[in-house]
Amino acid sequence: MTQIHLTTPVDPARETKTTRFLSREVTARYLWAITRLCLGWTFLWPFLDKMFGLGHETTAAHAWINGGSPSNGFLSGAVGPFASIYHSIAGAGWVNWMFMIGLLGIALALLLGIGMRIAAVAGAVLLVLMWSASLPPQDNIFMDNHIVYALVLLGLAVVGAGNTFGLGRWWTQTSLVRRFPWLT
């Protein structure tokens, strides 16, 4: 079977259904991989900003390493039917730890392309919880970017996006993952 690369021009006179399929398949793999890396960054950045107070949403004085609370600002501003629950746990030590470990773990899994199933489920849960802290969303009666990102995360795991520009192929061959396939 002929391999088609993104940089290889296909002669329209010699193009077949197979080469069109391979070209689309390769393009899709690269697009999913780039999407995975972009989404990985969207989880890594808030971790870094909240940990070190890089000044985007968190000042240095409010950084976690300086005694700040990564969860307090967002959760204390929760609105909607679940607001009282989120207000009651805002700033709690266990919430801060779970939030920061979750952000970092999901980010690293996405950036490295390993543990995609766990990252997808954990990320989707985190995003749906964040969505539920601001109901109804500002621009729509129920839909917002948190739900879309959650679905994209699940899609990344389903299509094996960690195998392109990532360590996914190697990861699935390790004895640990062969023993516990849910770690893929």
Side-chain angles (χ1 to χ4, degrees):
M1 204 183 287
T2 306
Q3 280 191 326
I4 303 294
H5 299 285
L6 290 177
T7 57
T8 305
V10 176
D11 179 5
R14 293 183 11 197
E15 185 178 37
T16 66
K17 287 182 181 180
T18 303
T19 57
R20 269 195 311 272
F21 173 76
L22 289 175
S23 180
R24 287 182 183 159
E25 182 182 275
V26 169
T27 302
R29 281 192 301 119
Y30 283 104
L31 286 172
W32 277 112
I34 292 167
T35 301
R36 173 182 54 83
L37 293 169
C38 291
L39 205 49
W41 176 252
T42 66
F43 280 90
L44 184 60
W45 173 253
F47 170 82
L48 294 172
D49 189 43
K50 291 175 183 319
M51 176 64 83
F52 302 109
L54 301 177
H56 187 265
E57 294 292 325
T58 308
T59 63
H62 293 100
W64 199 25
I65 61 170
N66 294 329
S69 170
S71 68
N72 191 48
F74 180 74
L75 293 179
S76 63
V79 296
F82 306 108
S84 62
I85 296 169
Y86 290 121
H87 293 166
S88 70
I89 63 171
W94 67 271
V95 174
N96 290 335
W97 277 97
M98 288 193 59
F99 179 61
M100 293 297 279
I101 289 170
L103 284 176
L104 182 60
I106 295 162
L108 291 176
L110 290 171
L111 292 171
L112 296 173
I114 62 174
M116 293 295 296
R117 287 183 185 174
I118 295 170
V121 171
V125 168
L126 178 62
L127 288 162
V128 169
L129 287 171
M130 292 174 73
W131 168 80
S132 71
S134 57
L135 290 175
Q138 199 169 359
D139 298 326
N140 195 296
I141 58 172
F142 72 94
M143 184 61 62
D144 79 348
N145 63 324
H146 293 94
I147 300 298
V148 174
Y149 284 166
L151 293 170
V152 170
L153 270 174
L154 296 172
L156 290 170
V158 168
V159 301
N163 295 339
T164 304
F165 297 143
L167 302 174
R169 284 190 212 291
W170 166 80
W171 179 250
T172 58
Q173 300 305 312
T174 63
S175 59
L176 177 68
V177 175
R178 285 181 185 208
R179 186 170 176 202
F180 303 106
W182 56 270
L183 290 172
T184 57

